Amino acid sequence: MSLILGIESSCDETAAAVVRDGYQVLSSCVASQIAKHAVHGGVVPELAAREHLVALNPVVEGALREAGVTMKEIDAIAVTQGPGLIPALLVGLSFAKGLAMGNGKPLIGVNHFIAHIYGAFLDEAHGVLENPATYPLLALVVSGGHTSLMLIERDGKARQLGCTIDDAAGEALDKGAKLLGLGYPGGPIMQKTAEGGDPHKYEFPRPLTGGAGKPLAPENLYNFSFSGIKTALLYHVKHHAGADGKLPAELLQDTVASYQEAVVDVLTRKTLLAAKNFGAKTIVVAGGVACNSVLRERFEALTPKHVQLRLAARKYCTDNAAMVGGLGWHYHRKQAYSPLNIDSFARLPQITQVPFLGE
């Protein structure tokens, strides 16, 4: 039995968790900074870093207490190394280094993007990853920073089939909410506002789907673009704005529902196309936007019956440390530890292998 302490600080959530043997989450504690950043309409990296400094120690202590273990019983410390906001990442990484050094524990630097994929297999899913019938696996990671399709084979070989060439889907929802004056964070507010609205009332564009009268370039078949949807919303608001420059209340619900529908349609359409073309046996949907009920319902309705659908549990969609600790266990069992001089990284590097598969 191995216990991994996970630490996450890539953006505006300070999180710690204790995970047993890669799957059993004994504790998962998250300190949110939403109220701090809401007044700015988005995450301020320096402010996030300062808040992590305040929250890390009590959050880690809370995770250990909730799990009923002490640092002495922890086998290794896994921490998000990147991608993310550098000021925020540095705080978590430095804290983890000090904790590892002070307690004589090995350190494991974890890729936040891969951890999101792994989060779909926490708790009840032990054995699914080892089953050959699970592969090829197609993962859609969709959040405020990422919108990517990753194909994973049984031996752990991985390749990115497509990604966003401009805004991520979560960013488009956040900025759409800001443009409409709905507040922050945009994703949950947009979903709530759209409830009961007509998603087909207004036709927002579906970029890179070949529906604009032009043939789609082969290199963009699995790529995403959401800046055009956001621009269309801007012009929609200008066209329908009242004397105060804002969208009339009677148009808001249908507008948000139609805007959300455009985002969901593109995400599901491209994912299902890639799954068909590459013969995927499993589709994983993960990342913060995977909390969206319309997106989840659409995948449940449209995923072919012969394809297994794994929607990450909502508590593991948003940034958390359970996914970090769970993924860290796979490094621990191979004794693939990180040196104490590892540095954080902001951008997603090329991924050719996932650590939870292969030797």
Side-chain angles (χ1 to χ4, degrees):
M1 183 186 77
S2 299
L3 296 174
I4 308 298
L5 172 65
I7 295 174
E8 155 65 21
S9 71
S10 65
C11 191
D12 62 337
E13 310 279 26
T14 311
V18 177
V19 183
R20 176 189 288 144
D21 295 338
Y23 296 95
Q24 187 179 0
V25 180
L26 302 184
S27 66
S28 181
C29 298
V30 181
S32 176
Q33 302 178 13
I34 287 175
K36 297 281 185 179
H37 297 280
V39 295
H40 303 285
V43 178
V44 180
E46 290 75 15
L47 175 58
R50 289 198 296 271
E51 291 300 313
H52 287 312
L53 278 170
V54 174
L56 263 168
N57 201 55
V59 166
V60 168
E61 288 178 351
L64 293 171
R65 185 168 56 251
E66 184 181 315
V69 301
T70 64
M71 272 306 302
K72 190 174 181 180
E73 296 170 87
I74 295 296
D75 293 286
I77 298 169
V79 59
T80 299
Q81 189 180 354
L85 304 175
I86 290 296
L89 287 165
L90 284 173
V91 175
L93 186 57
S94 299
F95 183 92
K97 286 179 179 180
L99 201 60
M101 185 180 296
N103 290 275
K105 305 294 181 182
L107 180 72
I108 301 165
V110 166
N111 185 306
H112 179 85
F113 178 91
I114 300 175
H116 268 304
I117 298 173
Y118 188 78
F121 297 91
L122 291 171
D123 289 338
E124 84 293 347
H126 186 65
V128 176
L129 286 172
E130 291 76 18
N131 187 349
T134 300
Y135 305 93
L137 181 155
L138 179 68
L140 170 68
V141 180
V142 55
S143 65
H146 302 289
T147 304
S148 299
L149 283 170
M150 182 74 63
L151 188 70
I152 301 172
E153 303 289 350
R154 173 68 185 92
D155 59 2
K157 286 187 172 59
R159 60 178 169 133
Q160 185 173 265
L161 300 180
C163 63
T164 180
I165 63 173
D166 42 54
D167 294 346
E171 184 181 359
L173 291 170
D174 283 343
K175 289 183 176 178
K178 187 174 182 179
L179 195 156
L180 292 167
L182 297 177
Y184 174 85
I189 296 173
M190 292 286 271
Q191 178 183 311
K192 187 169 182 59
T193 305
E195 290 175 1
D198 181 357
H200 307 293
K201 178 73 173 180
Y202 303 107
E203 187 65 27
F204 286 98
R206 273 68 164 166
L208 301 186
T209 60
K214 299 179 184 177
L216 183 62
E219 64 269 21
N220 284 324
L221 191 58
Y222 308 116
N223 280 338
F224 299 89
S225 170
F226 293 102
S227 64
I229 298 176
K230 186 180 62 181
T231 302
L233 178 63
L234 174 64
Y235 284 111
H236 173 84
V237 172
K238 286 183 176 180
H239 179 71
H240 295 284
D244 59 356
K246 295 181 179 180
L247 196 69
E250 63 269 19
L251 303 183
L252 181 61
Q253 198 174 40
D254 290 342
T255 295
V256 176
S258 299
Y259 184 82
Q260 179 180 251
E261 173 64 24
V263 174
V264 168
D265 186 30
V266 171
L267 291 172
T268 51
R269 193 187 303 188
K270 289 207 169 241
T271 303
L272 293 171
L273 175 64
K276 178 182 177 182
N277 289 348
F278 288 92
K281 298 293 197 310
T282 304
I283 293 174
V284 168
V285 185
V289 179
C291 286
N292 184 281
S293 296
V294 177
L295 182 67
R296 297 172 80 89
E297 290 166 5
R298 192 66 51 82
F299 269 110
E300 287 171 342
L302 297 181
T303 299
K305 295 190 183 302
H306 66 276
V307 177
Q308 179 187 177
L309 175 65
R310 293 204 67 87
L311 299 170
R314 283 184 169 90
K315 61 184 175 181
Y316 301 135
C317 287
T318 52
D319 290 346
N320 66 90
M323 64 184 191
V324 175
L327 183 59
W329 176 78
H330 291 272
Y331 288 93
H332 171 67
R333 68 185 179 89
K334 301 173 187 176
Q335 296 191 325
Y337 303 123
S338 304
L340 286 172
N341 65 350
I342 59 168
D343 206 351
S344 57
F345 54 89
R347 295 187 177 277
L348 182 68
Q350 183 180 8
I351 297 170
T352 58
Q353 183 83 27
V354 293
F356 53 83
L357 292 170
E359 296 301 322

